[in-house]
Protein backbone atom coordinates (compact mmCIF):
# COMPACT_ATOMS: atom_id res chain seq x y z
CA UNK A 1 0.00 0.00 0.00
CA UNK A 2 1.26 3.47 -0.88
CA UNK A 3 1.18 6.52 1.33
CA UNK A 4 -2.11 8.35 1.28
CA UNK A 5 -1.85 11.88 -0.06
CA UNK A 6 -4.11 14.69 1.17
CA UNK A 7 -6.90 15.74 -1.18
CA UNK A 8 -6.54 18.86 -3.31
CA UNK A 9 -9.01 20.67 -1.03
CA UNK A 10 -7.12 19.70 2.13
CA UNK A 11 -3.85 20.87 0.56
CA UNK A 12 -5.50 24.16 -0.49
CA UNK A 13 -6.90 24.78 3.00
CA UNK A 14 -3.54 24.06 4.61
CA UNK A 15 -1.73 26.37 2.16
CA UNK A 16 -4.21 29.22 2.69
CA UNK A 17 -4.05 29.19 6.50
CA UNK A 18 -2.94 32.68 7.56
CA UNK A 19 0.08 33.09 9.83
CA UNK A 20 -0.67 34.23 13.37
CA UNK A 21 -4.27 33.00 13.52
CA UNK A 22 -5.30 31.89 16.98
CA UNK A 23 -6.01 28.13 17.25
CA UNK A 24 -9.66 28.76 18.17
CA UNK A 25 -10.10 30.75 14.92
CA UNK A 26 -8.30 28.37 12.54
CA UNK A 27 -11.47 26.37 11.82
CA UNK A 28 -13.22 29.59 10.70
CA UNK A 29 -10.41 30.28 8.24
CA UNK A 30 -10.46 26.67 7.00
CA UNK A 31 -14.22 26.96 6.42
CA UNK A 32 -13.76 30.25 4.54
CA UNK A 33 -11.04 28.65 2.39
CA UNK A 34 -13.31 25.68 1.66
CA UNK A 35 -16.18 27.97 0.57
CA UNK A 36 -13.79 30.09 -1.53
CA UNK A 37 -12.53 26.91 -3.22
CA UNK A 38 -16.12 25.81 -3.90
CA UNK A 39 -17.07 29.18 -5.39
CA UNK A 40 -13.98 29.27 -7.59
CA UNK A 41 -13.94 25.69 -8.86
CA UNK A 42 -17.62 24.67 -8.80
CA UNK A 43 -19.39 27.97 -9.51
CA UNK A 44 -16.82 29.89 -11.61
CA UNK A 45 -16.55 32.96 -9.34
CA UNK A 46 -13.59 35.30 -9.88
CA UNK A 47 -11.71 37.95 -7.90
CA UNK A 48 -12.23 36.03 -4.64
CA UNK A 49 -10.72 37.07 -1.32
CA UNK A 50 -11.13 36.40 2.38
CA UNK A 51 -11.85 39.35 4.70
CA UNK A 52 -11.08 39.23 8.42
CA UNK A 53 -11.69 42.90 9.30
CA UNK A 54 -14.68 45.21 8.85
CA UNK A 55 -14.79 46.88 5.43
CA UNK A 56 -15.25 50.33 7.01
CA UNK A 57 -13.33 50.01 10.28
CA UNK A 58 -10.26 48.12 11.41
CA UNK A 59 -12.20 45.93 13.86
CA UNK A 60 -12.15 42.16 13.35
CA UNK A 61 -15.28 40.52 11.97
CA UNK A 62 -17.20 37.88 13.95
CA UNK A 63 -15.71 35.39 11.49
CA UNK A 64 -14.01 35.62 8.09
CA UNK A 65 -16.13 36.57 5.08
CA UNK A 66 -15.47 35.79 1.44
CA UNK A 67 -16.16 38.26 -1.35
CA UNK A 68 -16.08 37.81 -5.08
CA UNK A 69 -17.67 38.26 -8.46
CA UNK A 70 -20.10 35.55 -9.59
CA UNK A 71 -20.38 34.66 -13.30
CA UNK A 72 -23.98 35.92 -13.38
CA UNK A 73 -26.33 38.01 -11.25
CA UNK A 74 -27.25 36.35 -7.92
CA UNK A 75 -30.14 38.64 -6.98
CA UNK A 76 -32.45 40.93 -8.94
CA UNK A 77 -34.43 43.46 -6.90
CA UNK A 78 -38.21 43.29 -7.62
CA UNK A 79 -38.35 46.90 -8.88
CA UNK A 80 -35.44 46.21 -11.22
CA UNK A 81 -37.16 43.02 -12.38
CA UNK A 82 -40.23 45.07 -13.40
CA UNK A 83 -38.04 47.57 -15.32
CA UNK A 84 -36.26 44.71 -17.06
CA UNK A 85 -39.58 43.21 -18.16
CA UNK A 86 -40.80 46.59 -19.46
CA UNK A 87 -37.59 47.13 -21.44
CA UNK A 88 -37.29 43.47 -22.57
CA UNK A 89 -33.89 43.11 -20.90
CA UNK A 90 -32.82 39.55 -20.18
CA UNK A 91 -31.32 38.72 -16.78
CA UNK A 92 -28.23 37.30 -18.53
CA UNK A 93 -27.60 40.73 -20.09
CA UNK A 94 -27.29 42.51 -16.73
CA UNK A 95 -23.72 42.46 -15.36
CA UNK A 96 -22.99 40.56 -12.16
CA UNK A 97 -22.31 42.29 -8.85
CA UNK A 98 -19.65 41.69 -6.18
CA UNK A 99 -21.16 39.73 -3.32
CA UNK A 100 -20.38 39.01 0.32
CA UNK A 101 -20.41 35.34 1.36
CA UNK A 102 -20.68 34.17 4.99
CA UNK A 103 -19.14 30.69 5.42
CA UNK A 104 -20.95 28.67 8.10
CA UNK A 105 -21.19 25.04 9.13
CA UNK A 106 -24.53 23.25 9.29
CA UNK A 107 -24.20 22.85 13.06
CA UNK A 108 -23.64 26.57 13.72
CA UNK A 109 -26.50 28.63 15.10
CA UNK A 110 -27.00 32.21 14.03
CA UNK A 111 -29.26 34.68 15.85
CA UNK A 112 -30.75 37.87 14.44
CA UNK A 113 -28.35 39.75 16.75
CA UNK A 114 -25.29 38.06 15.19
CA UNK A 115 -26.57 38.80 11.68
CA UNK A 116 -27.22 42.45 12.70
CA UNK A 117 -23.65 42.76 14.09
CA UNK A 118 -22.25 41.34 10.88
CA UNK A 119 -24.34 43.63 8.63
CA UNK A 120 -23.26 46.62 10.76
CA UNK A 121 -19.60 45.70 10.11
CA UNK A 122 -19.79 45.53 6.30
CA UNK A 123 -20.43 47.96 3.48
CA UNK A 124 -23.27 47.23 1.04
CA UNK A 125 -20.73 46.20 -1.61
CA UNK A 126 -17.42 44.43 -0.92
CA UNK A 127 -14.35 46.56 -1.62
CA UNK A 128 -12.68 46.30 -5.02
CA UNK A 129 -8.91 45.98 -4.88
CA UNK A 130 -7.89 45.72 -8.51
CA UNK A 131 -8.77 47.59 -11.70
CA UNK A 132 -9.83 44.50 -13.68
CA UNK A 133 -12.73 43.69 -11.35
CA UNK A 134 -13.67 47.37 -11.03
CA UNK A 135 -14.25 47.56 -14.78
CA UNK A 136 -16.76 44.70 -14.49
CA UNK A 137 -18.77 46.48 -11.78
CA UNK A 138 -22.37 47.32 -12.76
CA UNK A 139 -22.57 50.43 -10.58
CA UNK A 140 -21.91 52.90 -13.38
CA UNK A 141 -25.56 52.60 -14.37
CA UNK A 142 -27.98 55.43 -13.63
CA UNK A 143 -28.89 55.47 -9.95
CA UNK A 144 -31.92 53.24 -9.53
CA UNK A 145 -31.74 52.04 -13.14
CA UNK A 146 -31.09 48.57 -14.50
CA UNK A 147 -27.70 47.35 -13.37
CA UNK A 148 -27.50 49.50 -10.25
CA UNK A 149 -27.43 47.82 -6.83
CA UNK A 150 -30.66 48.04 -4.85
CA UNK A 151 -32.21 46.61 -1.74
CA UNK A 152 -29.58 47.47 0.89
CA UNK A 153 -27.03 45.10 2.33
CA UNK A 154 -27.11 41.41 1.53
CA UNK A 155 -24.88 38.38 1.65
CA UNK A 156 -24.90 34.77 0.63
CA UNK A 157 -25.05 32.41 3.58
CA UNK A 158 -22.83 29.48 2.58
CA UNK A 159 -23.74 26.48 4.72
CA UNK A 160 -21.28 23.58 4.59
CA UNK A 161 -22.54 20.11 5.54
CA UNK A 162 -20.57 17.24 7.07
CA UNK A 163 -20.16 15.71 3.59
CA UNK A 164 -18.67 19.02 2.27
CA UNK A 165 -21.82 19.93 0.34
CA UNK A 166 -22.25 23.71 0.22
CA UNK A 167 -25.71 25.30 0.00
CA UNK A 168 -26.18 29.04 -0.59
CA UNK A 169 -29.01 31.28 0.66
CA UNK A 170 -29.50 35.01 0.02
CA UNK A 171 -29.86 36.90 3.33
CA UNK A 172 -30.89 40.59 3.41
CA UNK A 173 -30.42 43.18 6.12
CA UNK A 174 -34.05 44.01 6.82
CA UNK A 175 -37.28 43.43 4.96
CA UNK A 176 -37.22 43.16 1.16
CA UNK A 177 -40.16 43.44 -1.19
CA UNK A 178 -41.07 39.97 -2.57
CA UNK A 179 -40.10 39.07 -6.10
CA UNK A 180 -42.69 38.94 -8.91
CA UNK A 181 -43.25 35.55 -10.58
Amino acid sequence: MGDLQPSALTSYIEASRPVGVLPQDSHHHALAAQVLHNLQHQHDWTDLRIHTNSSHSARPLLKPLVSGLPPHRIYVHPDEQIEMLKQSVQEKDVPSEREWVLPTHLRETWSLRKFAELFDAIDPVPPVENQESEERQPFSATKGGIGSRRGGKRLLLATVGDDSTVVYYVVHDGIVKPRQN
Side-chain angles (χ1 to χ4, degrees):
M1 290 183 133
D3 291 333
L4 291 178
Q5 296 296 318
S7 70
L9 179 58
T10 301
S11 298
Y12 176 79
I13 290 170
E14 288 299 319
S16 66
R17 180 171 290 142
V19 176
V21 172
L22 299 172
Q24 64 267 27
D25 293 333
S26 65
H27 69 281
H28 292 303
H29 288 277
L31 192 62
Q34 182 177 355
V35 167
L36 186 146
H37 188 270
N38 179 265
L39 290 169
Q40 182 178 15
H41 296 287
Q42 298 297 317
H43 299 287
D44 298 326
W45 282 43
T46 57
D47 198 25
L48 288 157
R49 62 186 39 89
I50 294 176
H51 303 265
T52 56
N53 292 322
S54 170
S55 57
H56 58 265
S57 76
R59 294 191 323 220
L61 294 166
L62 292 171
K63 62 185 302 183
L65 292 177
V66 175
S67 72
L69 193 60
H72 57 80
R73 201 77 173 275
I74 299 297
Y75 173 78
V76 177
H77 189 276
D79 292 340
E80 184 177 17
Q81 183 185 25
I82 291 169
E83 288 179 31
M84 289 170 61
L85 289 170
K86 286 179 183 174
Q87 297 178 28
S88 300
V89 175
Q90 299 293 315
E91 211 169 308
K92 66 179 175 56
D93 296 329
V94 180
S96 63
E97 302 174 315
R98 288 191 63 76
E99 297 288 348
W100 289 109
V101 182
L102 171 60
T104 62
H105 189 272
L106 186 60
R107 294 186 185 146
E108 284 183 57
T109 55
W110 276 79
S111 65
L112 290 177
R113 177 173 302 197
K114 282 173 70 174
F115 276 116
E117 287 176 23
L118 186 62
F119 278 119
D120 286 346
I122 62 173
D123 290 321
V125 180
V128 176
E129 293 182 16
N130 65 42
Q131 187 62 31
E132 177 188 329
S133 62
E134 194 166 8
E135 289 172 4
R136 296 176 62 189
Q137 289 294 311
F139 307 111
S140 59
T142 307
K143 184 174 173 121
I146 293 174
S148 62
R149 191 169 186 112
R150 303 179 191 195
K153 296 179 183 180
R154 68 172 180 261
L155 58 79
L156 287 179
L157 177 66
T159 304
V160 180
D162 291 334
D163 64 353
S164 298
T165 301
V166 185
V167 180
Y168 298 92
Y169 299 93
V170 177
V171 178
H172 291 271
D173 182 21
I175 298 173
V176 176
K177 183 175 166 180
R179 213 178 140 146
Q180 302 292 318
N181 288 329

